[in-house]
Amino acid sequence: MARMSRKERRLQKKLIPLNIVLCIISLAAAVSMFFTPIITVDIGKILKEESVMSYVDKSMEDMVKNSSGESAEGIDVAPVVTSIVKNVFSTAEGQISVTAYGAYKVAFTSESDKATAVLDELFFGENALVTKLIDSIVDGVTGVFESPEGKALIEETIVNVIAKELAENVDGVTEQQIKDLTNTFKKIENIQDGDVSPVVNEFADKVEDIVGSEISAEDRENIAGVVQDMYDQTKEQLGDEDVTIESIICVLVSQSVDLGQFNIGDIIANINGGNGNGADTVAYVSVTDQTDGEASNDGGNDGEAERTIVKSYSELLTEIGLGDEEKAQLKADLRETIRTEINKSMGIGSDDTQSNQQAEQFAEYYSYVFYVSLAFVAPWLILFLFSLLHIFTKNKKVAMWYVKLLGLIPVILFVVFTFAPTLLPVIAPSLVAGEEGQMILAVLKGVSTSLWISAACYAVMWLVSIFWAHPIKRKIRKERKAFKYGSRFGEYEENY
């Protein structure tokens, strides 16, 4: 090391706090890039997007209507099912997170276990996609029927359906108006003589006030007949118990839908049993069809099992396999079923050599995430080590060009992931046009990254370099030239 003037030594000491700052910045960037998600796909957020919800709305209504057929006088349960499904989706959680650390664990796993390690990392780990998604959906379904908010949602949906039976232009009804209609309809619970017509008439009067047009006597009579049938059937099932909106809805749904075909545990058992068809097709009948006595059990339906009628939400949950005792086992069975199906599709554990090779190749590709990430983590680690080392050396200057060069790529990725949903409709509107385009946009909105941490560190490093390191280094270079020139010609008196 060449001799150093006292002035340069003083300037070099000013670089000590700068090197400490660089140590902190570089370590934070390296650790964040290794342990935090490089990319996260938030399935819960995607399911909450308006375009996805609209698609679910249309698909569920079509599915239920196509399965149940049309009923001239019956209450359409399709909006109820759709409302429940949308509510469940709004509570769904689950993410696919890709991290360098996760890829590192896969990369150093034995070849035969790599594919399984990838599935555990992305889908079946404690906080992975399938685990969180199953837990949130199962809990979400039960939450709809157990929470006050969920019960209110179901009641208001049923009331909205009945209101639409009275007036076609009731779609513009506000949330508060639906609540008022629901409170009016709930007066059915207080009926003593079994005649629902006064409540239905009051309900119809309020609908008239909302839509601003008169409801004909025939329409009033028709809807009163349907509601009366609902009430009478519920009362028949309850016996001496009081009729409630909850019991009316449960009897309506269980008479309209064969809940036994919805038992999730049985469906999983059928899938695992390898019958190739899963559960049987769900059977629906209309409310009015069921009202005509037990005729539906005659003739061609002799072999059909008797349908279970439920009278409360807890009974309904138990009937579809979501009772308190079944939930934990159901979650485990769902995870195992999905894992089994994925293993089959990927050829994991298969006797077929080609299928096994494809699974191993897929796992190998995932391990490349670690090696690629290492190329961007390494410069930050090198900067950390050099900054730390130079704190204790005479020359405390540290080069940062390699981090400035390679560290730019994660910043670009961060910008792309963050601003793609905003910029894509402007740059390429054709890509996000139509239903498929809106789905693409919804997926992009669900994609995020933790590279913002390294991007922030990168920006701070540049600021430190420009406004702190560069002025000091420039003075050091100037002092070295002056000291070297003065030492050579005897014009610099301050020596080492």
Side-chain angles (χ1 to χ4, degrees):
M1 176 98 187
R3 290 187 306 162
M4 188 179 294
S5 68
R6 291 196 185 102
K7 183 176 181 181
E8 182 179 347
R9 288 200 296 272
R10 289 195 298 270
L11 290 170
Q12 291 282 355
K13 286 181 180 179
K14 291 183 179 180
L15 292 175
I16 292 176
L18 183 144
N19 285 342
I20 293 173
V21 170
L22 288 178
C23 280
I24 296 171
I25 293 172
S26 55
L27 187 61
V31 170
S32 69
M33 289 182 67
F34 191 72
F35 290 103
T36 62
I38 298 170
I39 183 171
T40 298
V41 181
D42 191 336
I43 304 300
K45 185 176 181 181
I46 293 171
L47 291 175
K48 294 179 182 70
E49 286 295 324
E50 184 178 349
S51 57
V52 177
M53 283 294 185
S54 298
Y55 177 78
V56 170
D57 196 338
K58 182 177 181 298
S59 300
M60 287 302 302
E61 285 194 7
D62 289 345
M63 184 186 74
V64 175
K65 286 178 179 178
N66 290 338
S67 301
S68 61
E70 296 297 329
S71 174
E73 298 178 347
I75 297 298
D76 184 11
V77 297
V80 183
V81 176
T82 302
S83 179
I84 292 172
V85 171
K86 288 173 67 175
N87 184 269
V88 171
F89 274 17
S90 70
T91 63
E93 298 176 359
Q95 299 176 339
I96 298 177
S97 295
V98 177
T99 66
Y101 177 64
Y104 155 77
K105 290 189 292 184
V106 172
F108 290 94
T109 301
S110 63
E111 291 295 328
S112 60
D113 296 331
K114 275 189 176 181
T116 301
V118 172
L119 294 183
D120 288 339
E121 178 68 24
L122 296 179
F123 300 107
F124 298 103
E126 184 178 351
N127 294 310
L129 173 64
V130 172
T131 303
K132 295 289 287 184
L133 200 58
I134 287 174
D135 288 349
S136 62
I137 287 178
V138 171
D139 293 339
V141 172
T142 57
V144 170
F145 294 98
E146 292 174 349
S147 67
E149 297 82 3
K151 292 179 181 180
L153 170 72
I154 298 171
E155 292 170 358
E156 289 169 11
T157 304
I158 282 285
V159 168
N160 196 27
V161 170
I162 296 173
K164 287 182 179 179
E165 292 289 332
L166 286 169
E168 293 180 357
N169 58 335
V170 79
D171 288 329
V173 64
T174 66
E175 184 177 345
Q176 185 55 50
Q177 287 170 333
I178 280 292
K179 290 184 184 299
D180 292 341
L181 287 173
T182 303
N183 291 331
T184 300
F185 190 77
K186 289 179 75 172
K187 291 181 180 180
I188 286 179
E189 298 177 348
N190 303 321
I191 291 176
Q192 300 298 323
D193 58 2
D195 182 12
V196 302
S197 56
V199 174
V200 173
N201 284 327
E202 183 181 352
F203 181 87
D205 290 340
K206 290 206 170 187
V207 173
E208 281 183 341
D209 293 339
I210 291 171
V211 300
S213 59
E214 186 176 349
I215 297 172
S216 68
E218 183 181 357
D219 287 341
R220 284 175 180 259
E221 184 178 345
N222 287 338
I223 200 67
V226 172
V227 175
Q228 186 69 59
D229 285 342
M230 291 165 53
Y231 183 91
D232 292 341
Q233 292 168 40
T234 305
K235 187 63 179 175
E236 181 182 347
Q237 295 294 331
L238 293 175
D240 295 333
E241 299 178 36
D242 293 332
V243 174
T244 63
I245 294 296
E246 177 177 335
S247 59
I248 289 176
I249 292 171
C250 288
V251 171
L252 168 67
V253 172
S254 54
Q255 286 184 335
S256 302
V257 179
D258 186 356
L259 297 176
Q261 299 293 346
F262 272 115
N263 189 291
I264 302 174
D266 291 344
I267 293 172
I268 295 171
N270 286 336
I271 293 173
N272 289 337
N275 61 9
N277 297 319
D280 294 334
T281 304
V282 178
Y284 295 88
V285 295
S286 69
V287 176
T288 49
D289 288 343
Q290 193 69 19
T291 305
D292 297 331
E294 301 300 323
S296 59
N297 290 330
D298 297 332
N301 293 330
D302 289 341
E304 185 179 333
E306 186 176 350
R307 184 165 299 170
T308 301
I309 305 300
V310 298
K311 296 167 284 187
S312 66
Y313 294 143
S314 60
E315 290 180 8
L316 188 148
L317 289 173
T318 300
E319 187 65 20
I320 63 175
L322 288 173
D324 292 336
E325 297 179 358
E326 296 94 350
K327 273 202 304 185
Q329 185 60 45
L330 173 64
K331 292 176 182 179
D333 290 344
L334 280 170
R335 283 193 291 270
E336 186 58 33
T337 300
I338 294 173
R339 178 186 279 276
T340 300
E341 292 303 312
I342 292 177
N343 285 348
K344 286 180 182 178
S345 65
M346 293 180 60
I348 299 174
S350 171
D351 295 332
D352 184 0
T353 304
Q354 185 177 358
S355 296
N356 267 322
Q357 287 177 345
Q358 290 175 346
E360 291 171 4
Q361 190 177 37
F362 165 74
E364 194 65 34
Y365 287 151
Y366 185 75
S367 65
Y368 290 161
V369 173
F370 165 67
Y371 300 116
V372 173
S373 300
L374 199 60
F376 303 109
V377 173
W380 287 106
L381 288 176
I382 293 170
L383 179 60
F384 168 74
L385 293 173
F386 281 3
S387 300
L388 182 63
L389 178 64
H390 280 74
I391 291 174
F392 307 101
T393 61
K394 288 184 178 180
N395 180 17
K396 304 184 186 303
K397 293 194 300 179
V398 177
M400 294 179 254
W401 64 268
Y402 48 92
V403 181
K404 292 176 180 177
L405 181 63
L406 292 174
L408 179 61
I409 296 176
V411 175
I412 294 173
L413 292 176
F414 161 70
V415 172
V416 170
F417 289 143
T418 303
F419 296 103
T422 304
L423 297 178
L424 191 61
V426 178
I427 298 173
S430 59
L431 287 178
V432 295
E435 191 174 84
E436 291 184 1
Q438 288 301 304
M439 288 294 178
I440 293 172
L441 191 61
V443 171
L444 288 176
K445 289 180 179 179
V447 175
S448 62
T449 179
S450 293
L451 291 175
W452 66 269
I453 301 175
S454 63
C457 292
Y458 184 81
V460 172
M461 181 196 66
W462 265 103
L463 293 174
V464 166
S465 174
I466 294 171
F467 298 107
W468 190 352
H470 181 68
I472 296 175
K473 289 179 180 180
R474 185 177 57 187
K475 290 178 182 179
I476 289 174
R477 286 195 296 270
K478 184 176 179 181
E479 173 60 22
R480 280 183 179 175
K481 287 181 181 179
F483 180 68
K484 183 178 179 180
Y485 181 85
S487 298
R488 179 180 296 179
F489 297 102
E491 297 178 1
Y492 197 98
E493 296 181 357
E494 184 181 22
N495 294 320
Y496 180 74

